Amino acid sequence: MPKNKKFSGGSKKAKGSAKKTAAGPETANEFLSAGVENEEAGEKWRAGDAAKSARAFSRAIEIYDAGLKKFPQSMDLAFNKARLQYDLSQQSRLMEHLETSPLDQLRLALDSHRIALAIESDEVNLMYNTAQVLRSLAEGIEQDKAEHKNYESLRMYQDAFELFEKCLNAQEEMLAKARLDDADVSFDEADSHDEDTKMADAHGQPASPEEKWFAIVEDVNEETILDTIIELAGTMTSICALICNQDVDEVKFIHENYHINLERIDEYFKKTIHTKLHTYIKPDSPSRKDEIMLAVANYTCAYAEASFHTGRTSILNYDKEVKLAFSPERLSSITTESRLLNSPEALCDKANAEISFALSVQSKLHVLLAPGSLCTLDLLNDLRWTHLTSALEAATEASKQEKHEPRILPRIHLLRGDCEVLRYRLREAPCNYVLAVRCREKLLKNADKYYRGAAAFAQNESAAEEHNEATVKAAVVWALLGNGERLGQLAAKNLDMLRDEVEEMRDEELLSKEDVEVIRRLFP
């Protein structure tokens, strides 16, 4: 989430401000007050009436924008407008009531953050928020087929990394300065008292509310620095994941033109990220420890996959790193106390890392089985089956946890179904894995059960996207078992949605080309 810039002042209904409010805001502070008031209204309706909430937030943005036209150098107006635009882009319920798409909303937010940076380039919260916007936009471009441009995403990740790094350096300087001068606290309190005295009128009365608005700058501490370090680690993880989608020539192009290579990334992670995590982590904060360890585990898996993809490490080293990433032995190097292995989020990330291993091996079969290679088909089959089984076990354990974030249960059961379909695919040539051939029907029936469970949970949580995905996947699995009735029913209701989901399954390697052709013949 973006860092907030809080404001303090008198009551917005106090005498002395009503006349100006009726005529519309005139000063920068009046625009700020009116915008904040609409933001508060949006927050009030956020949980109940999403449409009313979205309208209030939109009015707040319009007010900030109008204020900026009159006061283009107002950092407070620029900051609030940029922050709110980004916050809206992350709220799917609210975005349904806005005219812009999530990607376009992120682009608007990025433009606004850049305008704010032009006003005050060294504001740490603004640097942090801008980097978050860049990372979110890069992820959105990657996920949107119509917008998918790897190099544009990479440039945004690179810009995000540089901003997070600059923010981290500034935060550390601020913290070091605060620690060296403990008297700052008393000085700030005295200064605040003096300001209030200056703002009082000749009769000793406080100044009117519209004259008292001022920003409250939050102190930098270990927690805020950890936020930035975790975001840096996440950005590096995303860069590694993006490299995995490039061929050899594209990786070379990235190295030569963007000056990004895996060795430099890992060196920075080990010397900077890992070291600073140990410096700032507090022994009495188990939730932060889990968050940190998850970031480290995800980076470890992404770096191992990218190294394998680019030929920098062997399949056995890749196998070892994925197995160790979420292990108690590896996690204990950061902290001896952790609840991470009982976290649904961590278990799902572990499952995804195991699935990525199996898919990476599948994509490199022609190389791994080339003449002169030490790998055998039996070894590769066993490794893929083992990792997919571990993924299924992790997802199953995640489904048993008592506390789940909204919409995560449908994703967990979708993950379980995907594991079974991927194990089913090991029956295909050239693998012809005996267990997959023997258990073909059982694997597909298991997948059907998990997908139907995902659809049920999605319906209960009003998660339309997950419900559509789960419903189509269950129908596809049933068709692979020889019954195309469900597919026919779905095609009659929404053929375009069915086609899109089937294409998505093919892109995720859940269906072979032959399977796709069989399923397409069942469409009307």
Side-chain angles (χ1 to χ4, degrees):
M1 294 299 293
K3 299 284 187 182
N4 288 317
K5 194 169 189 176
K6 300 179 181 178
F7 297 89
S8 178
S11 169
K12 302 177 189 65
K13 297 181 181 178
K15 292 180 180 180
S17 62
K19 185 176 180 180
K20 289 184 179 180
T21 302
E26 296 178 1
T27 68
N29 282 343
E30 287 173 0
F31 278 104
L32 182 65
S33 175
V36 170
E37 189 170 351
N38 276 276
E39 280 202 64
E40 290 173 350
E43 290 293 345
K44 175 182 175 182
W45 294 106
R46 186 194 288 260
D49 192 329
K52 189 176 290 187
S53 176
R55 286 196 298 272
F57 284 130
S58 295
R59 283 196 299 272
I61 291 173
E62 290 170 1
I63 291 169
Y64 293 141
D65 193 47
L68 282 168
K69 289 177 180 177
K70 292 186 68 175
F71 306 97
Q73 294 303 307
S74 172
M75 178 58 184
D76 296 335
L77 291 171
F79 186 101
N80 270 19
K81 177 188 173 185
R83 171 193 48 74
L84 182 53
Q85 285 177 321
Y86 178 55
D87 186 45
L88 286 176
S89 75
Q90 304 302 293
Q91 306 294 327
S92 57
R93 288 182 67 249
L94 299 183
M95 285 303 302
E96 293 173 1
H97 301 281
L98 299 178
E99 295 180 359
T100 55
S101 69
L103 272 180
D104 287 339
Q105 183 69 20
L106 281 169
R107 288 191 172 92
L108 289 173
L110 180 58
D111 290 341
S112 295
H113 277 84
R114 284 174 169 161
I115 290 171
L117 278 175
I119 299 172
E120 192 172 335
S121 61
D122 59 351
E123 213 285 336
V124 291
N125 287 339
L126 183 58
M127 285 189 279
Y128 181 94
N129 289 358
T130 307
Q132 277 198 318
V133 176
L134 283 162
R135 187 179 168 195
S136 295
L137 185 53
E139 291 170 350
I141 291 171
E142 282 188 87
Q143 294 167 6
D144 192 308
K145 291 182 180 179
E147 294 281 350
H148 190 82
K149 300 173 184 176
N150 281 332
Y151 295 144
E152 183 182 3
S153 298
L154 185 63
R155 177 177 53 79
M156 289 181 178
Y157 282 134
Q158 190 175 33
D159 290 346
F161 176 87
E162 291 173 357
L163 269 177
F164 279 132
E165 187 179 26
K166 182 179 178 182
C167 178
L168 176 60
N169 292 336
Q171 288 173 328
E172 289 188 303
E173 287 180 9
M174 293 168 69
L175 182 61
K177 183 178 179 181
R179 285 174 172 173
L180 287 173
D181 191 0
D182 293 334
D184 277 351
V185 175
S186 58
F187 174 80
D188 288 342
E189 290 175 352
D191 186 57
S192 176
H193 176 73
D194 290 343
E195 281 296 316
D196 286 342
T197 302
K198 292 176 184 177
M199 293 169 70
D201 61 23
H203 299 285
Q205 297 297 319
S208 60
E210 65 271 19
E211 295 174 315
K212 280 189 65 179
W213 283 92
F214 58 92
I216 298 176
V217 181
E218 298 179 352
D219 291 334
V220 171
N221 54 38
E222 290 86 350
E223 291 296 308
T224 56
I225 290 178
L226 281 175
D227 286 339
T228 306
I229 294 172
I230 290 170
E231 287 293 337
L232 258 174
T235 305
M236 295 168 73
T237 300
S238 297
I239 291 173
C240 288
L242 187 61
I243 289 175
C244 292
N245 296 325
Q246 318 302 314
D247 60 29
V248 175
D249 291 336
E250 288 172 327
V251 171
K252 183 179 179 181
F253 178 86
I254 289 171
H255 174 58
E256 293 176 350
N257 293 273
Y258 291 86
H259 308 292
I260 292 175
N261 63 64
L262 291 173
E263 289 82 359
R264 187 178 300 172
I265 289 173
D266 198 49
E267 181 181 4
Y268 182 87
F269 187 88
K270 290 175 179 176
K271 289 186 176 181
T272 304
I273 302 297
H274 212 274
T275 301
K276 291 182 187 295
L277 286 175
H278 284 280
T279 301
Y280 295 109
I281 190 170
K282 291 182 178 179
D284 57 347
S285 181
S287 61
R288 292 314 299 269
K289 290 177 183 177
D290 291 345
E291 189 178 0
I292 290 164
M293 287 186 293
L294 183 57
V296 172
N298 284 331
Y299 167 78
T300 299
C301 292
Y303 175 75
E305 182 181 1
S307 297
F308 172 70
H309 177 75
T310 54
R312 287 173 170 80
T313 193
S314 69
I315 185 173
L316 295 180
N317 282 334
Y318 180 21
D319 166 62
K320 178 183 176 182
E321 285 300 306
V322 173
K323 287 178 178 176
L324 285 175
F326 290 86
S327 68
E329 295 81 9
R330 178 68 62 83
L331 297 177
S332 64
S333 67
I334 302 174
T335 175
T336 56
E337 299 176 7
S338 172
R339 304 167 299 176
L340 183 65
L341 296 178
N342 295 321
S343 158
E345 181 184 4
L347 289 165
C348 287
D349 285 354
K350 180 180 187 300
N352 281 315
E354 303 275 10
I355 290 173
S356 292
F357 177 92
L359 294 177
S360 293
V361 174
Q362 179 178 318
S363 69
K364 294 286 186 179
L365 277 179
H366 62 291
V367 175
L368 295 168
L369 295 175
S373 172
L374 298 178
C375 293
T376 65
L377 185 58
D378 287 343
L379 170 65
L380 299 180
N381 282 342
D382 287 339
L383 284 172
R384 291 171 67 193
W385 181 270
T386 298
H387 280 274
L388 288 172
T389 302
S390 294
L392 178 61
E393 291 170 350
T396 300
E397 185 62 30
S399 70
K400 297 177 182 179
Q401 302 303 307
E402 294 182 1
K403 294 183 180 180
H404 296 94
E405 294 293 325
R407 303 177 74 152
I408 196 172
L409 267 177
R411 302 307 315 175
I412 289 172
H413 290 287
L414 279 165
L415 202 55
R416 297 174 77 189
D418 291 350
C419 289
E420 292 294 58
V421 172
L422 289 169
R423 293 208 299 177
Y424 153 82
R425 286 207 60 193
L426 283 174
R427 85 196 197 292
E428 300 169 8
C431 297
N432 302 313
Y433 193 52
V434 175
L435 272 175
V437 174
R438 185 188 306 160
C439 301
R440 173 187 176 277
E441 185 173 340
K442 180 180 179 181
L443 293 170
L444 289 176
K445 286 183 176 180
N446 285 346
D448 174 61
K449 178 177 69 175
Y450 299 143
Y451 288 144
R452 285 188 291 109
F457 282 113
Q459 188 169 19
N460 290 339
E461 298 185 23
S462 300
E465 182 180 342
E466 287 81 357
H467 182 268
N468 290 341
E469 179 182 349
T471 302
V472 170
K473 284 183 172 180
V476 166
V477 166
W478 206 243
L480 293 176
L481 284 167
N483 189 332
E485 182 179 352
R486 292 187 202 170
L487 273 180
Q489 293 172 349
L490 285 175
K493 291 180 180 178
N494 193 334
L495 183 58
D496 289 338
M497 183 268 288
L498 177 59
R499 284 174 173 162
D500 289 344
E501 292 292 348
V502 169
E503 289 300 313
E504 190 71 24
M505 290 183 73
R506 186 191 64 180
D507 293 343
E508 293 173 354
E509 303 294 340
L510 294 171
L511 294 174
S512 65
K513 292 181 180 179
E514 293 75 15
D515 286 337
V516 171
E517 290 304 315
V518 169
I519 291 165
R520 281 176 176 168
R521 286 197 290 269
L522 297 173
F523 292 174

